[in-house]
Amino acid sequence: MLTVAELAAAATRLAGRVEHTPIVAVGSTGLLAKCENLQRSGSFKIRGATNAVLGLGPAAVVTASSGNHGLAVASAAREAGIPATVVMTTETEPFKRAAVEAAGARVVFTAPGSDVRNRTAAELAEAEGATLIPPYDHPLVMAGQGTIGLEIVAQVPDVATVVVPVGGGGLISGIASAVRAGEGAHIRVLGVEPAAGDDTVRSLRAGHRVHIEPPRTICDGAAVQSPGELTFPILAALVDEVIAVTDAEVIAAMRVLFAAGLVVEPTGALAVAGALALGLGAGTVCVLSGRNVSPEAFAGYIGTP
Amino acid sequence: MLTVAELAAAATRLAGRVEHTPIVAVGSTGLLAKCENLQRSGSFKIRGATNAVLGLGPAAVVTASSGNHGLAVASAAREAGIPATVVMTTETEPFKRAAVEAAGARVVFTAPGSDVRNRTAAELAEAEGATLIPPYDHPLVMAGQGTIGLEIVAQVPDVATVVVPVGGGGLISGIASAVRAGEGAHIRVLGVEPAAGDDTVRSLRAGHRVHIEPPRTICDGAAVQSPGELTFPILAALVDEVIAVTDAEVIAAMRVLFAAGLVVEPTGALAVAGALALGLGAGTVCVLSGRNVSPEAFAGYIGTP
């Protein structure tokens, strides 16, 4: 479990280094959005990455990522003046690959799948004596993402439900630890993952971590093969429910958010897609995880009837 | 001139009725955005409309609008439980016409041009004994828009320059009155209008209100034929400079804002287009006036190389 002290230390490290993102109404749905799509580096990942880079000290860093975590580590490392290597699969969105390279990181490619990607990063860190910053399975990473939960309860004191996208589980385990601590024990925390990558739904049903084939979904940020070793027990203990939504529901949610003035990438619309599927409204905060999508892809999602 | 008392009264009327919109970084440009694209009804116009509807008392209202002001008056009137009529030209974007009708207002159409549109609304109000709410030339409308300026100086205490889109001048006259009062006398206020609708640039050069043909520009919200009778003297006294930008520069700014996670309509990107043209960066707040654009049109603006 993450402690209040770990979350508070993360909040202190991140103060002034990441955006305190706004809460915005999602049109007339009654839903509120926590806008990590307006975060530095384009996603919430900069929180965990910065907390880990600063917390682990001044060594070269290596990470594995579908894109946003790699971009965040590259950005955080550049801020700290240390070299970064990002391991991505050959299926990584070219748009995200270009952003990681533009942020000054070395990029190493592997075959598709989060398993081989994570293993390659671990081996590379070992071989080069660099510090491994996992995309979710690390207390400093989870605590960094958890600062979003601290902000939500401060910004929306009467929040009843928080809805969070689920990939490896770093975001939701951090947020659940933050919002359900102390006075927030009654707040519901719900997770949403893509139907084609429902490893967490299956794992919760099975009572242990289930492993699936590399998922095929437009939600690249949530296309992992199993929940994390550290994140899963926290998620299982603190999250009320995890549901899965289709890519079509995700696109519909991207259009609702567009009409509300917000650009999100597919993974960033998961929480709103889930909240709409569950019929949620007032009292609900949906976490928009990121905005990193190419203009051409975004135009295709929203511009076709 | 607008007084501090008029601005303060507007702020009191609007408290809890409109969003206190966030300030967001525009990617790595150094620019900050005041996000009225995240405002209720999709634009800043809800501020002036609500202030006028509440300030003028409980009578049926009539207005003339290119879209956003009409939508705002329709929304404010519905909130107040009174009927609203919106006069639009036959060139009004179908997307905005549909939104006004969905908000419960009667829509009356006239030939293209802001002149005939404004005249028709005045005649209709006279004939029906309804209250006319002009799109910009009214102290309550200007004061409502001016509350944006009060928020900017509170949110960004060290702001050096505020950049504002210019149509009829209601937004910039309100904001200039608010930010340059008292301690803010040193803050620069710049206006930006579309090159094809540069009535204000020409008017300032001539030293009096100049009248142009109905402008052809994608910035429908700033396609007016002359500055307002009440707004122009305030603008001339308090605004440091007004520049014009091309539609191509506006589209480039829409893409910069998209990459920062924000949806704006063309008129809503004028301030960023102007700030980029002037080479401005840190210390600059750009007002994003609105988000009301169809997904098909937006996809066309950002999705084509």
Side-chain angles (χ1 to χ4, degrees), chain A residues 51 125 182 257:
Chain A
N51 195 42
L257 288 160

Side-chain angles (χ1 to χ4, degrees), chain B residues 76-237:
Chain B
R78 189 170 55 178
E79 283 283 314
I82 61 178
T85 300
V86 179
V87 179
M88 294 175 145
T89 74
T90 48
E91 289 192 323
T92 299
E93 274 222 4
F95 178 80
K96 288 186 174 173
R97 171 191 172 162
V100 170
E101 285 171 342
R106 174 176 65 151
V107 176
V108 173
F109 284 97
T110 66
S114 58
D115 288 356
V116 61
R117 188 174 69 201
N118 293 344
R119 199 165 54 239
T120 303
E123 289 167 0
L124 197 64
E126 174 79 21
E128 300 187 352
T131 301
L132 181 69
I133 302 187
Y136 40 85
D137 239 353
H138 193 289
L140 287 168
V141 173
M142 287 187 275
Q145 325 304 29
T147 58
I148 296 167
L150 301 178
E151 293 176 17
I152 288 172
V153 293
Q155 290 170 296
V156 188
D158 60 349
V159 60
T161 306
V162 180
V163 191
V164 186
V166 176
L171 178 62
I172 197 167
S173 57
I175 289 178
S177 300
V179 306
R180 305 205 58 181
E183 292 178 8
H186 65 283
I187 299 172
R188 284 203 309 164
V189 179
L190 307 178
V192 185
E193 64 183 355
D198 63 345
D199 53 297
T200 302
V201 168
R202 292 180 194 219
S203 297
L204 286 170
R205 201 179 296 145
H208 60 84
R209 294 163 66 212
V210 166
H211 197 267
I212 64 174
E213 289 299 300
R216 300 235 157 246
T217 165
I218 60 171
C219 301
D220 59 333
V224 301
Q225 292 178 253
S226 78
E229 194 178 333
L230 301 181
T231 59
F232 185 65
I234 300 178
L235 189 156

Side-chain angles (χ1 to χ4, degrees), chain A residues 66 91-98 218 220 266 292-294 297 301:
Chain A
S66 62
E91 288 192 324
T92 298
E93 274 223 5
F95 178 80
K96 288 184 173 172
R97 170 191 173 165
I218 59 171
D220 59 332
N292 293 325
V293 56
S294 74
Y301 291 130

Side-chain angles (χ1 to χ4, degrees), chain A residues 97-119:
Chain A
R97 170 191 173 165
V100 170
E101 286 172 341
R106 173 176 65 152
V107 176
V108 173
F109 285 97
T110 66
S114 57
D115 288 357
V116 62
R117 190 175 68 201
N118 293 345
R119 198 166 55 238

